[in-house]
């Protein structure tokens, strides 16, 4: 009788013991998913023990050749990955959206041109983009630390180098938005 009761306990335990359940693949970006045009982001698939194959998708369409556990996203889109495990079960991840933002374009005008030293020159920013920050360098060797500005539309008084000759100053404007 004891043997029968031990067998019965073993069967009950086997039937009611829970199987391991996995949530499925998870996409982990290696950094931000809001990028500037020309940048990329590595996406990694994790969370599936015994994974034997991967297929990355963008917008529900399989990406040709994208069959490893990582994918380097270089375009806008909603990315998912289908992972097949060693029991031949395929599971698709939740989506991750990668957004590419247009690069800002720097531009400016100035007035007046061809001035003598100490005459203020007004620079007018014509840059295209949103939430921009500005870094101006006026190319004025006589100004030292006053040779830069972070104003949107700065005024600069050129000193130049000593002497009585025509001088050219290279003005640069770098613009950045919240995405770099």
């Amino acid at each position: 009788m004891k043997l029968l009761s031990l067998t019965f306990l073993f069967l009950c335990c086997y039937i009611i013991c829970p199987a391991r359940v996995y949530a499925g693949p998870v996409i982990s970006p290696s950094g931000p998913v809001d990028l500037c045009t020309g940048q990329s982001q590595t996406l990694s698939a994790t969370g599936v023990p015994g994974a034997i194959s991967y297929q990355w998708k963008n917008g529900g369409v399989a990406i040709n050749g994208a069959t490893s556990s990582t994918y380097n996203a270089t375009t806008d889109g909603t990315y998912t990955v289908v992972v097949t495990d060693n029991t031949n079960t395929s599971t698709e991840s939740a989506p991750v959206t990668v957004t590419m933002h247009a690069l800002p374009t720097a531009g400016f005008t100035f007035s007046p041109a061809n001035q003598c030293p100490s005459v203020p020159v007004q620079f007018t920013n014509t840059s295209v983009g949103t939430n921009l920050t500005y870094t101006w360098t006026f190319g004025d060797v006589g100004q030292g630390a006053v040779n830069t500005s972070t104003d949107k539309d700065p005024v600069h008084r050129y000193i130049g180098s000593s002497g009585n000759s025509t001088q050219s100053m290279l003005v640069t404007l770098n613009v950045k938005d919240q995405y770099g």
Side-chain angles (χ1 to χ4, degrees), residues 133-138 148-151 171-176:
T133 60
Y134 311 96
T135 304
W136 295 85
T137 304
F138 299 112
T148 63
S149 176
T150 57
D151 293 344
V171 177
T172 59
L173 169 60
N174 290 311
V175 294
K176 290 184 179 181

Side-chain angles (χ1 to χ4, degrees), residues 7-34:
T7 304
F8 179 70
L9 282 174
F10 176 72
L11 284 175
C12 288
C13 181
Y14 180 73
I15 293 170
I16 61 172
C17 289
R20 288 187 180 177
V21 177
Y22 299 101
V26 174
I27 297 175
S28 301
S30 62
V33 292
D34 280 313

Side-chain angles (χ1 to χ4, degrees), residues 30 41 61 75 78 118 128 155 157 162 175:
S30 62
Q41 185 54 260
V61 177
T75 60
T78 303
S118 297
V128 177
V155 173
R157 291 180 186 270
S162 61
V175 294

Side-chain angles (χ1 to χ4, degrees), residues 6-157:
L6 286 175
T7 304
F8 179 70
L9 282 174
F10 176 72
L11 284 175
C12 288
C13 181
Y14 180 73
I15 293 170
I16 61 172
C17 289
R20 288 187 180 177
V21 177
Y22 299 101
V26 174
I27 297 175
S28 301
S30 62
V33 292
D34 280 313
L35 307 169
C36 288
T37 302
Q39 293 180 318
S40 64
Q41 185 54 260
T42 300
L43 306 176
S44 299
T46 60
V48 179
I52 59 171
S53 71
Y54 301 86
Q55 178 59 65
W56 289 90
K57 295 181 177 183
N58 186 354
V61 177
I63 302 168
N64 190 30
T67 56
S68 72
S69 63
T70 61
Y71 179 72
N72 195 33
T74 58
T75 60
D76 272 339
T78 303
Y79 290 87
T80 59
V81 63
V82 176
V83 179
T84 303
D85 66 17
N86 55 9
T87 67
N88 208 28
T89 302
S90 295
T91 310
E92 190 164 2
S93 70
V96 169
T97 300
V98 173
T99 305
M100 297 290 175
H101 301 275
L103 292 170
T105 304
F108 64 91
T109 60
F110 60 94
S111 178
N114 301 320
Q115 292 301 309
C116 292
S118 297
V119 174
V121 177
Q122 174 69 56
F123 290 88
T124 303
N125 181 357
T126 60
S127 300
V128 177
T130 56
N131 299 317
L132 299 178
T133 60
Y134 311 96
T135 304
W136 295 85
T137 304
F138 299 112
D140 188 356
V141 295
Q143 284 284 16
V146 188
N147 195 31
T148 63
S149 176
T150 57
D151 293 344
K152 180 181 178 188
D153 297 307
V155 173
H156 184 75
R157 291 180 186 270

Side-chain angles (χ1 to χ4, degrees), residues 114 164-168:
N114 301 320
N164 199 12
S165 63
T166 302
Q167 297 177 27
S168 295

